Amino acid sequence: MLAAGVTFTNDRFPPPRRTWMELFPSDPTEDTLATHVGDGTTIGARSVIGPGLELGRFTMVGMGSVVTRDVPDFHLVVGNPARTIGAVSRAGVPIARAIEGLLPDGDVICPRTGASYRLEAQKVLEL
């Protein structure tokens, strides 16, 4: 789900500044990078996603966030630059809160669906 005003950037090195008379097309080049958005990902309104990033499955990006690094599966990120503040289930329900940017290890259950997840080494795995 992409909310209103989400911006994807794709150019690591934008072309040099030109006057309006000198504009040239921005065809893809070797500096144009694709971004991968995993299944079930939700990106909040007015978020900006940097070039060449991987947004994992069922990640959630809070509105207005600026994503400058890959986001692992099931992570909830917010801010500028975006940082992990927790983990969410496949249903989008928070299942863990990060402490100083780190997710605690352990098994958790989604309160909405009853699905089980394992948090281990900053990864969230469906059981």
Short mmCIF file of all heavy atoms in Angstrom, two decimals, residues 73-117:
data_model
loop_
_atom_site.label_atom_id
_atom_site.label_comp_id
_atom_site.label_asym_id
_atom_site.label_seq_id
_atom_site.Cartn_x
_atom_site.Cartn_y
_atom_site.Cartn_z
N ASP A 73 12.43 -7.49 6.56
CA ASP A 73 11.06 -7.98 6.65
C ASP A 73 10.45 -7.65 8.02
O ASP A 73 11.13 -7.78 9.06
CB ASP A 73 11.01 -9.51 6.48
CG ASP A 73 11.44 -9.98 5.11
OD1 ASP A 73 11.58 -9.15 4.19
OD2 ASP A 73 11.62 -11.20 4.96
N PHE A 74 9.20 -7.24 8.03
CA PHE A 74 8.37 -7.02 9.23
C PHE A 74 8.86 -5.89 10.14
O PHE A 74 8.39 -5.76 11.25
CB PHE A 74 8.23 -8.31 10.05
CG PHE A 74 7.59 -9.43 9.29
CD1 PHE A 74 8.35 -10.45 8.75
CD2 PHE A 74 6.22 -9.46 9.09
CE1 PHE A 74 7.77 -11.49 8.05
CE2 PHE A 74 5.63 -10.49 8.37
CZ PHE A 74 6.40 -11.51 7.85
N HIS A 75 9.79 -5.06 9.68
CA HIS A 75 10.25 -3.94 10.51
C HIS A 75 9.34 -2.74 10.32
O HIS A 75 8.82 -2.48 9.25
CB HIS A 75 11.69 -3.56 10.15
CG HIS A 75 12.71 -4.42 10.82
ND1 HIS A 75 13.77 -3.91 11.52
CD2 HIS A 75 12.83 -5.77 10.90
CE1 HIS A 75 14.50 -4.90 12.00
NE2 HIS A 75 13.95 -6.04 11.62
N LEU A 76 9.18 -1.96 11.39
CA LEU A 76 8.46 -0.69 11.38
C LEU A 76 9.51 0.41 11.52
O LEU A 76 10.27 0.42 12.49
CB LEU A 76 7.48 -0.63 12.56
CG LEU A 76 6.84 0.71 12.89
CD1 LEU A 76 6.02 1.22 11.71
CD2 LEU A 76 5.97 0.60 14.13
N VAL A 77 9.57 1.30 10.51
CA VAL A 77 10.56 2.38 10.53
C VAL A 77 9.87 3.73 10.44
O VAL A 77 8.82 3.86 9.80
CB VAL A 77 11.61 2.23 9.40
CG1 VAL A 77 12.41 0.95 9.56
CG2 VAL A 77 10.97 2.29 8.03
N VAL A 78 10.45 4.73 11.10
CA VAL A 78 9.93 6.10 11.07
C VAL A 78 11.09 7.08 11.15
O VAL A 78 12.18 6.72 11.61
CB VAL A 78 8.94 6.39 12.22
CG1 VAL A 78 7.72 5.49 12.16
CG2 VAL A 78 9.61 6.28 13.57
N GLY A 79 10.86 8.30 10.73
CA GLY A 79 11.81 9.38 10.95
C GLY A 79 12.63 9.76 9.75
O GLY A 79 12.46 9.24 8.66
N ASN A 80 13.54 10.72 9.99
CA ASN A 80 14.43 11.22 8.95
C ASN A 80 15.84 11.32 9.55
O ASN A 80 16.11 12.24 10.32
CB ASN A 80 13.98 12.59 8.48
CG ASN A 80 14.87 13.17 7.42
OD1 ASN A 80 15.82 12.56 6.97
ND2 ASN A 80 14.57 14.40 7.02
N PRO A 81 16.71 10.37 9.23
CA PRO A 81 16.48 9.19 8.40
C PRO A 81 15.67 8.14 9.15
O PRO A 81 15.64 8.12 10.38
CB PRO A 81 17.89 8.68 8.10
CG PRO A 81 18.70 9.11 9.28
CD PRO A 81 18.10 10.43 9.72
N ALA A 82 15.00 7.27 8.41
CA ALA A 82 14.13 6.25 9.01
C ALA A 82 14.95 5.28 9.86
O ALA A 82 16.03 4.85 9.45
CB ALA A 82 13.38 5.50 7.92
N ARG A 83 14.43 4.97 11.03
CA ARG A 83 15.05 4.03 11.96
C ARG A 83 14.00 3.02 12.42
O ARG A 83 12.82 3.36 12.55
CB ARG A 83 15.58 4.74 13.20
CG ARG A 83 16.62 5.79 12.91
CD ARG A 83 17.99 5.15 12.82
NE ARG A 83 19.02 6.17 12.79
CZ ARG A 83 19.77 6.42 11.74
NH1 ARG A 83 19.60 5.78 10.62
NH2 ARG A 83 20.71 7.34 11.80
N THR A 84 14.45 1.81 12.74
CA THR A 84 13.53 0.79 13.25
C THR A 84 13.07 1.17 14.65
O THR A 84 13.89 1.45 15.52
CB THR A 84 14.23 -0.59 13.30
OG1 THR A 84 14.55 -0.99 11.96
CG2 THR A 84 13.35 -1.64 13.94
N ILE A 85 11.74 1.19 14.83
CA ILE A 85 11.20 1.43 16.16
C ILE A 85 10.42 0.22 16.67
O ILE A 85 9.97 0.21 17.80
CB ILE A 85 10.30 2.69 16.22
CG1 ILE A 85 9.05 2.53 15.35
CG2 ILE A 85 11.08 3.93 15.87
CD1 ILE A 85 7.95 3.51 15.69
N GLY A 86 10.25 -0.79 15.81
CA GLY A 86 9.54 -1.97 16.24
C GLY A 86 9.38 -2.96 15.11
O GLY A 86 9.94 -2.80 14.03
N ALA A 87 8.60 -3.99 15.40
CA ALA A 87 8.28 -5.02 14.41
C ALA A 87 6.76 -5.11 14.31
O ALA A 87 6.04 -4.86 15.28
CB ALA A 87 8.86 -6.36 14.83
N VAL A 88 6.29 -5.45 13.12
CA VAL A 88 4.85 -5.60 12.88
C VAL A 88 4.59 -6.99 12.31
O VAL A 88 5.45 -7.59 11.68
CB VAL A 88 4.30 -4.53 11.91
CG1 VAL A 88 4.36 -3.15 12.54
CG2 VAL A 88 5.03 -4.54 10.59
N SER A 89 3.38 -7.47 12.54
CA SER A 89 2.97 -8.76 12.00
C SER A 89 2.53 -8.60 10.55
O SER A 89 2.43 -7.48 10.03
CB SER A 89 1.83 -9.34 12.82
OG SER A 89 0.65 -8.58 12.61
N ARG A 90 2.22 -9.70 9.92
CA ARG A 90 1.69 -9.69 8.56
C ARG A 90 0.41 -8.85 8.50
O ARG A 90 0.11 -8.22 7.49
CB ARG A 90 1.40 -11.14 8.15
CG ARG A 90 0.98 -11.32 6.73
CD ARG A 90 0.74 -12.80 6.43
NE ARG A 90 1.95 -13.49 6.11
CZ ARG A 90 2.30 -13.82 4.87
NH1 ARG A 90 1.51 -13.54 3.87
NH2 ARG A 90 3.42 -14.45 4.65
N ALA A 91 -0.34 -8.80 9.60
CA ALA A 91 -1.58 -8.03 9.67
C ALA A 91 -1.33 -6.54 9.93
O ALA A 91 -2.28 -5.76 10.00
CB ALA A 91 -2.48 -8.60 10.76
N GLY A 92 -0.06 -6.13 10.10
CA GLY A 92 0.26 -4.73 10.35
C GLY A 92 0.14 -4.31 11.80
O GLY A 92 0.19 -3.12 12.11
N VAL A 93 0.01 -5.28 12.69
CA VAL A 93 -0.14 -5.00 14.12
C VAL A 93 1.25 -5.01 14.77
O VAL A 93 2.04 -5.93 14.53
CB VAL A 93 -1.03 -6.07 14.78
CG1 VAL A 93 -1.11 -5.88 16.29
CG2 VAL A 93 -2.41 -6.06 14.16
N PRO A 94 1.57 -4.01 15.61
CA PRO A 94 2.86 -4.03 16.29
C PRO A 94 2.99 -5.27 17.17
O PRO A 94 2.07 -5.62 17.92
CB PRO A 94 2.84 -2.77 17.15
CG PRO A 94 1.86 -1.86 16.46
CD PRO A 94 0.82 -2.78 15.89
N ILE A 95 4.14 -5.95 17.06
CA ILE A 95 4.37 -7.16 17.86
C ILE A 95 5.59 -7.03 18.76
O ILE A 95 5.79 -7.85 19.65
CB ILE A 95 4.49 -8.42 16.98
CG1 ILE A 95 5.58 -8.26 15.92
CG2 ILE A 95 3.14 -8.76 16.35
CD1 ILE A 95 5.87 -9.51 15.11
N ALA A 96 6.42 -6.02 18.53
CA ALA A 96 7.59 -5.79 19.39
C ALA A 96 8.01 -4.34 19.25
O ALA A 96 7.84 -3.73 18.20
CB ALA A 96 8.74 -6.71 18.99
N ARG A 97 8.56 -3.81 20.32
CA ARG A 97 9.07 -2.44 20.33
C ARG A 97 10.59 -2.49 20.41
O ARG A 97 11.15 -3.24 21.20
CB ARG A 97 8.52 -1.68 21.53
CG ARG A 97 8.99 -0.25 21.62
CD ARG A 97 8.37 0.46 22.81
NE ARG A 97 6.93 0.56 22.67
CZ ARG A 97 6.29 1.60 22.14
NH1 ARG A 97 6.99 2.64 21.72
NH2 ARG A 97 4.99 1.63 22.06
N ALA A 98 11.24 -1.72 19.55
CA ALA A 98 12.70 -1.67 19.57
C ALA A 98 13.16 -0.81 20.74
O ALA A 98 12.52 0.17 21.09
CB ALA A 98 13.22 -1.10 18.26
N ILE A 99 14.27 -1.21 21.32
CA ILE A 99 14.89 -0.45 22.40
C ILE A 99 16.23 0.04 21.86
O ILE A 99 17.08 -0.76 21.50
CB ILE A 99 15.08 -1.32 23.66
CG1 ILE A 99 13.72 -1.83 24.13
CG2 ILE A 99 15.81 -0.54 24.75
CD1 ILE A 99 13.79 -2.90 25.17
N GLU A 100 16.36 1.37 21.77
CA GLU A 100 17.55 2.00 21.18
C GLU A 100 17.83 1.44 19.78
O GLU A 100 18.96 1.17 19.41
CB GLU A 100 18.76 1.84 22.10
CG GLU A 100 18.59 2.57 23.41
CD GLU A 100 19.81 2.48 24.30
OE1 GLU A 100 20.90 2.16 23.80
OE2 GLU A 100 19.66 2.76 25.49
N GLY A 101 16.76 1.25 19.02
CA GLY A 101 16.88 0.80 17.63
C GLY A 101 17.06 -0.69 17.44
O GLY A 101 17.17 -1.16 16.32
N LEU A 102 17.09 -1.45 18.53
CA LEU A 102 17.30 -2.90 18.43
C LEU A 102 16.07 -3.66 18.89
O LEU A 102 15.49 -3.36 19.93
CB LEU A 102 18.50 -3.32 19.27
CG LEU A 102 19.83 -2.67 18.90
CD1 LEU A 102 20.91 -3.07 19.91
CD2 LEU A 102 20.24 -3.05 17.50
N LEU A 103 15.70 -4.68 18.11
CA LEU A 103 14.58 -5.53 18.48
C LEU A 103 15.05 -6.58 19.49
O LEU A 103 16.13 -7.14 19.33
CB LEU A 103 14.01 -6.24 17.24
CG LEU A 103 13.35 -5.34 16.21
CD1 LEU A 103 12.97 -6.15 14.97
CD2 LEU A 103 12.13 -4.66 16.78
N PRO A 104 14.22 -6.87 20.50
CA PRO A 104 14.61 -7.91 21.47
C PRO A 104 14.45 -9.30 20.84
O PRO A 104 13.60 -9.50 19.98
CB PRO A 104 13.60 -7.71 22.60
CG PRO A 104 12.40 -7.13 21.92
CD PRO A 104 12.94 -6.28 20.80
N ASP A 105 15.29 -10.25 21.24
CA ASP A 105 15.14 -11.62 20.78
C ASP A 105 14.00 -12.30 21.53
O ASP A 105 13.73 -11.97 22.68
CB ASP A 105 16.43 -12.41 21.00
CG ASP A 105 17.55 -12.01 20.05
OD1 ASP A 105 17.25 -11.33 19.04
OD2 ASP A 105 18.70 -12.36 20.31
N GLY A 106 13.34 -13.24 20.85
CA GLY A 106 12.28 -14.01 21.50
C GLY A 106 11.14 -14.32 20.55
O GLY A 106 11.12 -13.87 19.40
N ASP A 107 10.19 -15.10 21.05
CA ASP A 107 9.01 -15.46 20.27
C ASP A 107 7.86 -14.56 20.68
O ASP A 107 7.70 -14.24 21.86
CB ASP A 107 8.64 -16.93 20.51
CG ASP A 107 9.66 -17.89 19.93
OD1 ASP A 107 10.51 -17.45 19.14
OD2 ASP A 107 9.59 -19.08 20.26
N VAL A 108 7.07 -14.14 19.69
CA VAL A 108 5.92 -13.28 19.95
C VAL A 108 4.73 -13.80 19.15
O VAL A 108 4.89 -14.52 18.17
CB VAL A 108 6.20 -11.80 19.59
CG1 VAL A 108 7.25 -11.21 20.51
CG2 VAL A 108 6.61 -11.66 18.15
N ILE A 109 3.55 -13.39 19.58
CA ILE A 109 2.31 -13.79 18.90
C ILE A 109 1.54 -12.54 18.52
O ILE A 109 1.41 -11.60 19.32
CB ILE A 109 1.45 -14.68 19.82
CG1 ILE A 109 2.19 -15.98 20.11
CG2 ILE A 109 0.08 -14.94 19.20
CD1 ILE A 109 1.50 -16.88 21.10
N CYS A 110 1.03 -12.51 17.29
CA CYS A 110 0.21 -11.39 16.84
C CYS A 110 -1.11 -11.41 17.61
O CYS A 110 -1.82 -12.41 17.57
CB CYS A 110 -0.04 -11.49 15.33
SG CYS A 110 -1.20 -10.25 14.72
N PRO A 111 -1.46 -10.32 18.28
CA PRO A 111 -2.71 -10.30 19.05
C PRO A 111 -3.96 -10.35 18.17
O PRO A 111 -5.02 -10.75 18.64
CB PRO A 111 -2.63 -8.99 19.84
CG PRO A 111 -1.65 -8.15 19.12
CD PRO A 111 -0.71 -9.07 18.41
N ARG A 112 -3.85 -9.97 16.91
CA ARG A 112 -5.01 -9.97 16.02
C ARG A 112 -5.25 -11.34 15.40
O ARG A 112 -6.38 -11.79 15.31
CB ARG A 112 -4.87 -8.92 14.93
CG ARG A 112 -6.09 -8.89 14.01
CD ARG A 112 -6.04 -7.78 12.99
NE ARG A 112 -6.10 -6.50 13.67
CZ ARG A 112 -5.70 -5.35 13.14
NH1 ARG A 112 -5.22 -5.33 11.92
NH2 ARG A 112 -5.78 -4.23 13.82
N THR A 113 -4.18 -11.99 14.93
CA THR A 113 -4.36 -13.23 14.17
C THR A 113 -3.90 -14.49 14.90
O THR A 113 -4.24 -15.60 14.48
CB THR A 113 -3.58 -13.16 12.84
OG1 THR A 113 -2.18 -13.10 13.13
CG2 THR A 113 -4.01 -11.97 12.01
N GLY A 114 -3.09 -14.33 15.95
CA GLY A 114 -2.56 -15.49 16.66
C GLY A 114 -1.34 -16.11 15.98
O GLY A 114 -0.81 -17.12 16.44
N ALA A 115 -0.87 -15.51 14.89
CA ALA A 115 0.32 -16.02 14.19
C ALA A 115 1.55 -15.83 15.06
O ALA A 115 1.66 -14.85 15.80
CB ALA A 115 0.49 -15.30 12.85
N SER A 116 2.48 -16.76 14.95
CA SER A 116 3.71 -16.72 15.76
C SER A 116 4.89 -16.20 14.94
O SER A 116 5.01 -16.50 13.74
CB SER A 116 4.04 -18.12 16.27
OG SER A 116 3.02 -18.58 17.12
N TYR A 117 5.77 -15.46 15.62
CA TYR A 117 6.96 -14.89 15.00
C TYR A 117 8.14 -15.09 15.94
O TYR A 117 7.97 -15.09 17.16
CB TYR A 117 6.78 -13.39 14.73
CG TYR A 117 5.67 -13.09 13.77
CD1 TYR A 117 4.35 -13.01 14.20
CD2 TYR A 117 5.93 -12.91 12.41
CE1 TYR A 117 3.32 -12.75 13.31
CE2 TYR A 117 4.90 -12.66 11.52
CZ TYR A 117 3.60 -12.57 11.97
OH TYR A 117 2.58 -12.33 11.08
#
